[in-house]
Amino acid sequence: MSKFRNKSNNLTTFEKQVLQAVRKIPRGKITTYRFLAKAIGRPKAVRAVAKALGKNPCLIKVPCHRVVRSDGQIGGYKLGVGKKIFLLKKEGIKFRRVNQIDKPNKYLFKF
DNA sequence: CCTGGGGCAGCCG
DNA sequence: ACGGCTGCCCCAG
């Protein structure tokens, strides 16, 4: 038995697919909830995808802060939007206003 | 700019 | 099993 408690991720197949896809997003890049939904073959399950991110068990392996809204706004974050913005800035993402990414298209990661 | 309805996987009673 | 919310949303109007 590991000393480290295994946060037994009771994740469904769908949720795993979502998290797996997010892991591919490199530092300094972002994607949107919509693209992410498409990427896993469920273009209409956008909200379900967003919800799945809320269950993200490991913020290191699954950088869900790199998933933002289609309009370039930040979107939500389980640990607070402020934290999300902080992380994105740290990775080189520029903001035009607090809460609004400058030229989101520039950073978009294509699956 | 704001609004409503679409859409769907999970969760809870 | 089952129906009704809900959620890190989206876009047409």
Side-chain angles (χ1 to χ4, degrees):
Chain A
M1 300 261 272
S2 164
K3 280 188 218 170
F4 304 103
R5 187 105 35 102
N6 203 351
K7 294 214 173 186
S8 88
N9 12 341
N10 301 332
L11 298 173
T12 65
T13 306
F14 174 77
E15 290 166 339
K16 283 179 191 166
Q17 283 175 358
V18 172
L19 300 178
Q20 198 71 336
V22 174
R23 293 178 64 172
K24 298 179 190 161
I25 307 171
R27 208 185 136 87
K29 291 284 188 179
I30 61 174
T31 191
T32 69
Y33 296 102
R34 188 144 165 255
F35 275 133
L36 187 50
K38 278 188 189 169
I40 63 171
R42 312 214 87 77
K44 295 183 183 174
V46 181
R47 302 196 69 177
V49 164
K51 195 174 186 183
L53 290 179
K55 295 184 85 180
N56 182 3
C58 181
L59 300 177
I60 304 300
K61 288 198 292 192
V62 185
C64 67
H65 60 277
R66 295 180 189 145
V67 186
V68 301
R69 291 196 185 192
S70 297
D71 59 7
Q73 291 211 303
I74 299 309
Y77 197 57
K78 203 64 185 300
L79 310 179
V81 191
K83 184 95 178 166
K84 187 168 180 178
I85 292 173
F86 171 75
L87 290 170
L88 288 171
K89 280 185 177 170
K90 222 175 141 185
E91 299 186 347
I93 307 295
K94 302 292 187 220
F95 287 70
R96 73 170 351 200
R97 311 184 67 75
V98 62
N99 208 20
Q100 174 74 41
I101 293 178
D102 188 43
K103 311 190 196 327
N105 206 28
K106 191 171 83 172
Y107 307 105
L108 200 57
F109 172 67
K110 310 281 200 311
F111 286 93

